[in-house]
Amino acid sequence: GNSVTQMEGPVTLSEEAFLTINCTYTATGYPSLFWYVQYPGEGLQLLLKATKADDKGSNKGFEATYRKETTSFHLEKGSVQVSDSAVYFCALRGRGGSNYKLTFGKGTLLTVNP
Amino acid sequence: DTAVSQTPKYLVTQMGNDKSIKCEQNLGHDTMYWYKQDSKKFLKIMFSYNNKELIINETVPNRFSPKSPDKAHLNLHINSLELGDSAVYFCASSNLAGGTGELFFGEGSRLTVL
């Protein structure tokens, strides 16, 4: 079945530091890949997505590139802010058949200190 | 306008009680989901309905019963609540017919069983 593995953290950074959160996946075919963010006390929001190999998703300074050869979708940001403190989830959705559900990684808690 | 709304946001109850959580989406989506998030932030899908038909039913105790009266509503009823049911329950919706399968989440319903 489909699965997502992401670094579990927690990750603690100083403001303006570089962020990488690793995510690798296992899936048949060509899944769509997503990063979701959950701010404290809120639901999940889509941060960015990529639907085919070599696509780069980007939003709010975050980027992730769909790498089929390494089955990875690592999240990066060049300079984090305190307001980026949240839990980040990598997720995939398979194609066709009964691949209706989004499969999530375990989440990575990011804390950014001023 | 709230896209996916859940009620109640907080629910505190005693073991053995029966409770319901309601969800409504005004996005015109054809598919709705219930996810459970435990204290470690791990997200696990429970159920999904597409056009009022159950399409995903993960390994969930039969004390949990979803009901979808129409495409815009998906409710979750829980019988004989147990301590382990304490969690945040998230409703989500998406369009299976077209699109990349992006999910839109509600703000969550925090259930505490005493």
Side-chain angles (χ1 to χ4, degrees):
Chain A
N2 297 337
S3 67
V4 175
T5 302
Q6 64 178 103
M7 55 188 278
E8 290 188 23
V11 174
T12 303
L13 297 173
S14 297
E15 210 163 20
E16 299 184 3
F18 184 86
L19 169 71
T20 299
I21 302 178
N22 289 337
C23 172
T24 56
Y25 67 89
T26 302
T28 54
Y30 301 89
S32 295
L33 300 173
F34 306 83
W35 276 100
Y36 279 80
V37 58
Q38 184 179 24
Y39 298 104
E42 298 184 13
L44 279 74
Q45 306 171 25
L46 180 68
L47 181 59
L48 53 84
K49 64 184 178 186
T51 57
K52 60 183 189 297
D54 299 325
D55 268 2
K56 178 186 282 189
S58 60
N59 186 25
K60 299 181 181 179
F62 290 88
E63 293 183 340
T65 301
Y66 188 143
R67 301 281 188 207
K68 190 172 186 315
E69 63 276 14
T70 54
T71 60
S72 65
F73 193 54
H74 304 321
L75 182 69
E76 296 182 337
K77 186 174 185 181
S79 175
V80 293
Q81 306 300 312
V82 172
S83 57
D84 293 326
S85 297
V87 181
Y88 292 82
F89 293 90
C90 186
L92 75 81
R93 178 175 180 257
R95 294 189 188 277
S98 60
N99 288 315
Y100 300 112
K101 63 182 180 183
L102 216 57
T103 299
F104 285 90
K106 291 188 175 181
T108 302
L109 173 62
L110 169 67
T111 302
V112 180
N113 295 319
Chain B
D1 282 345
T2 304
V4 182
S5 59
Q6 318 178 205
T7 55
K9 193 166 182 179
Y10 300 96
L11 190 52
V12 180
T13 189
Q14 300 287 331
M15 277 176 55
N17 284 350
D18 303 338
K19 291 293 177 187
S20 292
I21 307 172
K22 295 186 176 182
C23 179
E24 176 181 4
Q25 55 96 2
N26 62 8
L27 297 168
H29 288 164
D30 58 16
T31 306
M32 296 183 71
Y33 309 79
W34 278 110
Y35 279 83
K36 179 181 180 181
Q37 186 175 48
D38 63 22
S39 58
K40 295 185 178 180
K41 302 293 187 184
F42 182 62
L43 276 161
K44 181 176 167 50
I45 190 166
M46 301 173 69
F47 302 103
S48 178
Y49 274 74
N50 173 253
N51 289 317
K52 300 195 299 173
E53 288 194 28
L54 183 65
I55 57 171
I56 295 175
N57 186 356
E58 295 290 294
T59 308
V60 176
N62 58 15
R63 298 182 294 105
F64 290 77
S65 53
K67 281 191 173 52
S68 182
D70 56 59
K71 280 196 324 182
H73 296 84
L74 179 61
N75 304 323
L76 182 66
H77 188 74
I78 315 171
N79 289 327
S80 303
L81 279 157
E82 300 178 358
L83 292 177
D85 297 332
S86 296
V88 182
Y89 292 85
F90 285 100
C91 178
S93 71
S94 72
N95 254 342
L96 284 190
T100 56
E102 172 188 347
L103 264 61
F104 291 77
F105 283 83
E107 293 192 344
S109 297
R110 180 176 293 276
L111 172 64
T112 302
V113 182
L114 303 174

